[in-house]
Amino acid sequence: MDWTLEVAFLPVTDVDRAKDFYTRIGFNPDHDQSPTEGIRFVQMTPPGSSCSIAFGKGIVDGGPPNPGTLMLCVSDINVARKHLLEAGVEASEVDEQAWGHFVYFDDPDGNHWNVQYLPYR
């Protein structure tokens, strides 16, 4: 039996601002539904990913930022960083470690992201 991670939930303060941010960096807006009053569910998927993020109104306990860090994996860290910068995201310089190369950024609510490139793959 496979166990797959499909969705990671993020706390946000402004659903439309978050949706705009993630759309700008290339995530696909899969769902934006309000099944009941007081609930809005937005699900977005990074290009090529099997796992999505979800945020909205009435779906995540607690406020931002998420206490953890989410990671995206890419095949070219420099292209990924350039893409983020061109989308208006404040992204770190490339952090080259022996085990991988990384770029770090936060969304408008302070949710932390790592972008990882593993040169040995």
Side-chain angles (χ1 to χ4, degrees), residues 66-119:
N66 180 11
T69 299
L70 296 165
M71 182 176 287
L72 297 166
C73 299
V74 297
S75 59
D76 189 321
I77 196 72
N78 294 307
V79 170
R81 181 175 185 274
K82 182 180 178 202
H83 174 79
L84 290 168
L85 294 173
E86 289 174 350
V89 176
E90 289 185 31
S92 72
E93 296 292 328
V94 175
D95 177 15
E96 293 188 19
Q97 300 295 326
W99 56 89
H101 302 175
F102 303 89
V103 168
Y104 312 102
F105 70 95
D106 291 345
D107 76 6
D109 285 295
N111 293 302
H112 304 296
W113 287 88
N114 287 351
V115 182
Q116 171 186 260
Y117 165 65
L118 300 176

Side-chain angles (χ1 to χ4, degrees), residues 1-118:
M1 171 175 62
D2 291 337
W3 292 40
T4 62
L5 180 62
E6 298 292 331
V7 180
F9 289 81
L10 289 178
V12 300
T13 56
D14 183 323
V15 178
D16 291 320
R17 179 182 69 176
K19 185 177 179 183
D20 178 63
F21 175 82
Y22 288 107
T23 300
R24 230 178 35 244
I25 64 172
F27 284 39
N28 184 64
D30 303 320
H31 302 287
D32 188 344
Q33 304 292 322
S34 294
T36 64
E37 187 176 327
I39 293 180
R40 180 174 174 198
F41 179 83
V42 177
Q43 182 173 334
M44 302 190 75
T45 305
S49 179
S50 296
C51 184
S52 303
I53 59 169
F55 52 85
K57 180 179 172 191
I59 63 168
V60 177
D61 294 333
N66 180 11
T69 299
L70 296 165
M71 182 176 287
L72 297 166
C73 299
V74 297
S75 59
D76 189 321
I77 196 72
N78 294 307
V79 170
R81 181 175 185 274
K82 182 180 178 202
H83 174 79
L84 290 168
L85 294 173
E86 289 174 350
V89 176
E90 289 185 31
S92 72
E93 296 292 328
V94 175
D95 177 15
E96 293 188 19
Q97 300 295 326
W99 56 89
H101 302 175
F102 303 89
V103 168
Y104 312 102
F105 70 95
D106 291 345
D107 76 6
D109 285 295
N111 293 302
H112 304 296
W113 287 88
N114 287 351
V115 182
Q116 171 186 260
Y117 165 65
L118 300 176

